[in-house]
Amino acid sequence: GIVPLQGARTPMSAITATDPRTSAQAATTALHGATREYLSFKLGAEEYGIDILKVQEIRGYENPTRIANAAHFIKGVVNLRGVIVPIVDMRLRFGLSDVQYNSFTVVIILNIASRTVGMVVDSVSDVLELGGDAIKPAPEFNGAIEAAYITGLGTLKSGDAERMLILMDIEQMMTAPDMGLMDEPLVH
């Protein structure tokens, strides 16, 4: 089933820099970024977040058509309303063990560098707003994802509990040469 993402809003925080306090505030906003919306999803034990503006829709997993000589993490292509969309299984891409396809497995359809790409994840959690103060620089840690693609760590508080969200630059990752998605069309 298709779950259209309604109401993905971009907060327009236009700050006029007349008052000196406001320009300091503007500098802080520019440094840390205004509140942005992220789609959170699970890959293995970790939860990730990507910019909601890159997300076109979320679909259930269906078996794609295999492509000869494609990298092992490219499951194939699907025809999405006339557009041929490569499907990348992020779990295979990051070498996670125990990759299963079940009713929770979803495909996030992304619009990246004027291409449409699908990525398979374990499950989608929710759409979250994170302000600049909730995002910390990512420390060096041994996650599945190369540090180059991580923009920071988001902290979400609900009551006493705290959730960490690894924020990923999905565009930089999908356009990386080793993904082999951008240089040539997959279907000639």
Side-chain angles (χ1 to χ4, degrees), residues 46-66:
E46 292 168 330
E47 196 172 7
Y48 295 87
I50 56 172
D51 186 344
I52 194 76
L53 298 177
K54 306 269 185 250
V55 177
Q56 179 179 307
E57 64 189 83
I58 299 167
R59 303 169 57 84
Y61 181 79
E62 56 191 83
N63 273 328
T65 306
R66 295 283 310 165

Side-chain angles (χ1 to χ4, degrees), residues 140-162:
E140 292 295 314
F141 67 98
N142 291 335
I145 295 188
E146 293 93 341
Y149 305 130
I150 294 174
T151 57
L153 293 179
T155 310
L156 300 161
K157 290 186 170 62
S158 51
D160 295 339
E162 219 175 51

Side-chain angles (χ1 to χ4, degrees), residues 43 61 72-75 87-94 99 101 105 118-121:
L43 279 176
Y61 181 79
H72 75 283
F73 52 80
I74 296 181
K75 296 298 292 179
I87 302 297
V88 176
D89 193 320
M90 297 296 270
R91 306 166 309 175
L92 297 175
R93 170 71 179 78
F94 296 128
V99 169
Y101 298 90
T105 309
M119 71 174 190
V120 183
V121 298

Side-chain angles (χ1 to χ4, degrees), residues 6 8 11 17 38 61 71 103 127 130 150 161 180:
Q6 300 299 343
Y38 294 88
Y61 181 79
S103 57
V127 177
L130 289 175
I150 294 174

Side-chain angles (χ1 to χ4, degrees), residues 54 110-117 170-172 174-175 181-182:
K54 306 269 185 250
L110 304 162
N111 274 320
I112 285 177
S114 69
R115 292 281 303 264
T116 306
V117 179
I170 196 64
E171 179 150 352
Q172 190 177 340
M174 288 295 188
T175 53
L181 291 172
M182 298 296 156

Side-chain angles (χ1 to χ4, degrees), residues 2-3 19 27 40 44 84 94 96 98 100 104 114 118 129-130 139 153 177:
I2 300 174
V3 185
D19 176 6
S40 66
I84 301 297
F94 296 128
L96 298 179
D98 193 32
Q100 296 177 3
F104 296 104
S114 69
E129 284 195 357
L130 289 175
L153 293 179

